[in-house]
Amino acid sequence: MTSSHPGSAGITYAAAGVDVEAGDRAVELMKDAIKATHNDSVIGGVGGFAGLFDASALRSYQRPLLATSTDGVGTKVAIAQAMDIHHTIGQDLVGMVVDDIVVVGAKPLFMTDYIACGKVVPERIADIVRGIAEGCSLADTALVGGETAEHPGLLGEHDYDIAGAATGAVEADALLGPERVREGDAVIAMASSGIHSNGYSLVRSVINHAGWALERDVPEFGRTLGEELLVPTRIYTADCLDLMDQLNTGSTMALHGFSHVTGGGLAANLARVLPQGLMASVDRSTWSLPAVFTLISELGGVPQSDIERTLNLGVGMIAIVDGASADAAVTRLNERGVPSWVAGTVGTVTDEAAGAGVDFVQGAKGVDGGAVLMHGNYAS
């Protein structure tokens, strides 16, 4: 048994690796960015034990349904850490969370975040949270709380990971889902801003195997490889809600569903929001692969079937609308700055399609839903 020498200082929390004062400084640096996301429904300020949100507006709903989602950004944080660029990763987090909520037609109301790190560097934490706040502003969602946890000995000094959760609301009669999708519906593709926040384990493996440095200038990108890989996730929430307002008025429900293209790729995520017996036929020739996807595919010799199951390949969100409203939907989205196009149609599953091998996906991610047939070649 040992004991400290008389007069010794002993072991402090700071000596154990946790700097409480650094955490306080980080909060001071991020407060203004967080407050900028607040509206009249947010009760109290920054620093409370719980974030408070006035839900009085739900009284106007006939039958309000709450929607919730939680997510992180995966190994994209490794690129941010290697580049020492931390102000964009927060937008990725928001996009991954709120755009899952809008898929059911819900408006995200508020969000919270969690950052675990090996060492609190106030400026770095503030950069991350500013990015989260900017993403929340794009989605018109209040950032009502969060937590930063210092984990010395568990995470390296420069390591961190982030996660978030959000809650939204939708009127029951306006809920979107597979039961609304009909034969003859159009599949509207909305362009992604890049890789977004899925598949970075594959991406990092490819560039590491090829020996490419993140600082390498890539002419096709007009910037460095690392800068391209850190392009933040496009947030579609406001555009999707606007499209609902335009197409679903009164008793008319021309917008039937959305699909957020995340892990699993386009086909697997689209199949989740289709009913059994129906199939979306998606024509690859309706769009060209953005340069970053072509580079990853060619640099790593990644089979097309594998890269389609891993990355979004240029489509980050899909809307399923009545065929007669397809042109109006595309026009509206393009007017709002979201490049969009008709990428396919919804029909019935055929024996020929079901025999198409890897181009045919039926049910995905635990959902025994519809099917998707990918056909044609990507435009050059």
Side-chain angles (χ1 to χ4, degrees):
M1 179 176 178
T2 62
S3 61
S4 60
H5 295 290
S8 66
I11 298 175
T12 65
Y13 205 14
V18 177
D19 188 341
V20 176
E21 291 182 359
D24 290 341
R25 290 197 301 275
V27 172
E28 287 300 318
L29 290 172
M30 68 178 73
K31 279 172 61 175
D32 289 344
I34 296 172
K35 288 180 180 178
T37 72
H38 291 181
N39 51 37
D40 292 342
S41 295
V42 178
I43 307 301
V46 179
F49 281 92
L52 295 173
F53 189 88
D54 185 346
S56 299
L58 297 185
R59 292 174 180 168
S60 65
Y61 287 58
Q62 294 298 309
R63 185 188 169 201
L65 303 180
L66 295 181
T68 185
S69 177
T70 185
D71 210 338
V73 299
T75 61
K76 188 171 184 176
V77 296
I79 305 294
Q81 291 162 15
M83 296 286 291
D84 196 23
I85 296 174
H86 312 284
H87 66 280
T88 61
I89 203 78
Q91 181 172 323
D92 292 293
L93 178 64
V94 177
M96 289 298 97
V97 175
V98 299
D99 283 342
D100 276 359
I101 287 177
V102 81
V103 161
V104 298
K107 172 178 170 46
L109 300 174
F110 57 84
M111 182 167 177
T112 57
D113 66 78
Y114 176 77
I115 304 171
C117 59
K119 178 179 176 61
V120 170
V121 178
E123 294 76 14
R124 182 165 62 206
I125 298 298
D127 276 350
I128 296 170
V129 176
R130 286 193 194 104
I132 296 173
E134 289 171 7
C136 283
S137 293
L138 289 172
D140 191 22
T141 302
L143 182 59
V144 299
E147 173 70 12
T148 299
E150 201 166 20
H151 292 166
L154 182 63
L155 294 171
E157 182 175 329
H158 300 291
D159 294 337
Y160 64 80
D161 198 11
I162 61 176
T167 297
V170 59
E171 183 67 74
D173 288 346
L175 185 69
L176 302 179
E179 65 280 357
R180 294 196 183 277
V181 179
R182 300 287 183 267
E183 185 175 359
D185 280 355
V187 176
I188 309 298
M190 302 181 215
S192 66
S193 56
I195 297 177
H196 285 185
S197 300
N198 299 102
Y200 273 81
S201 293
L202 171 64
V203 172
R204 290 167 54 242
S205 179
V206 167
I207 62 176
N208 288 340
H209 183 75
W212 280 36
L214 294 174
E215 297 77 17
R216 179 176 180 145
D217 284 311
V218 182
E220 297 94 323
F221 303 158
R223 53 189 158 201
T224 68
L225 173 63
E227 289 168 338
E228 177 69 24
L229 298 182
L230 283 184
V231 171
T233 301
R234 173 173 267 147
I235 294 176
Y236 301 92
T237 294
D239 303 300
C240 290
L241 293 173
D242 174 81
L243 195 61
M244 284 184 63
D245 288 343
Q246 295 296 313
L247 299 185
N248 294 354
T249 57
S251 61
T252 301
M253 292 283 290
L255 196 156
H256 299 155
F258 292 115
S259 176
H260 190 195
V261 182
T262 55
L266 189 156
N269 284 289
L270 180 53
R272 297 166 70 186
V273 299
L274 299 176
Q276 293 182 16
L278 290 188
M279 178 186 77
S281 180
V282 177
D283 185 356
R284 298 184 183 101
S285 71
T286 59
W287 79 97
S288 301
L289 291 184
V292 66
F293 299 106
T294 301
L295 184 141
I296 295 300
S297 177
E298 294 178 352
L299 196 62
V302 184
Q304 178 171 295
S305 59
D306 192 79
I307 203 166
E308 285 188 337
R309 289 196 304 264
T310 308
L311 304 178
N312 68 62
L313 298 187
V315 179
M317 180 69 81
I318 290 170
I320 304 170
V321 307
D322 181 270
S325 299
D327 289 343
V330 169
T331 297
R332 183 68 178 183
L333 289 166
N334 278 289
E335 286 175 348
R336 290 179 59 87
V338 183
S340 304
W341 63 94
V342 176
T345 57
V346 175
T348 57
V349 178
T350 65
D351 291 339
E352 181 181 4
V358 295
D359 286 339
F360 179 80
V361 174
Q362 185 160 25
K365 297 196 173 185
V367 178
D368 189 14
V372 175
L373 174 68
M374 302 290 293
H375 64 92
N377 298 313
Y378 294 105
S380 58

